Amino acid sequence: MTDHEAEGAEPVVRPAPHRWLWYALGGGLPARHRGWVLHDTTTSTWWLRHIARSLVQVALPIALVMLLLPAGWGLRLAAAGGGLALALFYSLAYMPETTENRVVKAGYPAGTATAHRERAGLGRQQRESERKRAAAAKRAARYRDRTGR
């Protein structure tokens, strides 16, 4: 069971490839995929998923530049690379806002994805603190055993 299902949210139903492509291009998904949209924008790899969606969005324009630009291959590659770099720059700059927009399109209130990611981050920090405390206690016990204190 996923974290979202445990919280009482809808089940995570992955969309078919053609629906995912539409979603990657900015379209909305049917209501049955609401849980997946929230998962997609809040899982630990949400930023990689965002980059993948961005690359899908720029794939067609980059391909058109490479095929139709009446210039040598060097200029075509330079134009395509510059366009890709600029697109990724803007995509990364507005990543949180873009993911929130996707969650709002799925029917959740604005700020839901950010709140989920912050809660998950807090949980990771707490688990890491507990792990470090346990390791420190173990080292202290070894030290006490070794020195007889």
Side-chain angles (χ1 to χ4, degrees):
M1 182 180 289
T2 66
D3 291 338
H4 300 301
E5 289 176 20
E7 293 171 4
E10 298 91 70
V12 176
V13 179
R14 183 168 173 74
H18 70 283
R19 290 201 189 273
W20 182 88
L21 184 60
W22 175 247
Y23 169 75
L25 294 172
L29 290 174
R32 71 178 176 271
H33 299 295
R34 275 175 43 108
W36 181 83
V37 171
L38 187 61
H39 170 75
D40 183 55
T41 57
T42 59
T43 189
S44 62
T45 57
W46 72 275
W47 58 277
L48 285 173
R49 293 167 178 250
H50 175 80
I51 292 171
R53 287 190 302 268
S54 299
L55 291 174
V56 167
Q57 290 175 357
V58 299
L60 182 61
I62 296 297
L64 290 175
V65 164
M66 292 299 293
L67 290 174
L68 301 177
L69 188 67
W73 284 104
L75 183 57
R76 290 179 193 197
L77 283 171
L84 181 63
L86 191 60
L88 285 176
F89 174 77
Y90 278 103
S91 176
L92 294 174
Y94 294 103
M95 189 167 26
E97 293 85 357
T98 304
T99 55
E100 282 299 332
N101 187 40
R102 288 182 185 280
V103 170
V104 168
K105 274 187 189 179
Y108 291 98
T112 302
T114 302
H116 274 261
R117 287 192 301 267
E118 287 174 357
R119 255 196 321 270
L122 183 58
R124 280 192 302 274
Q125 286 176 347
Q126 289 172 342
R127 287 189 299 275
E128 182 67 12
S129 293
E130 290 169 7
R131 185 191 67 77
K132 286 181 178 180
R133 265 191 233 106
K138 191 175 178 181
R139 282 191 307 273
R142 267 197 323 255
Y143 177 77
R144 279 193 303 272
D145 290 345
R146 209 176 313 145
T147 60
R149 293 184 192 186

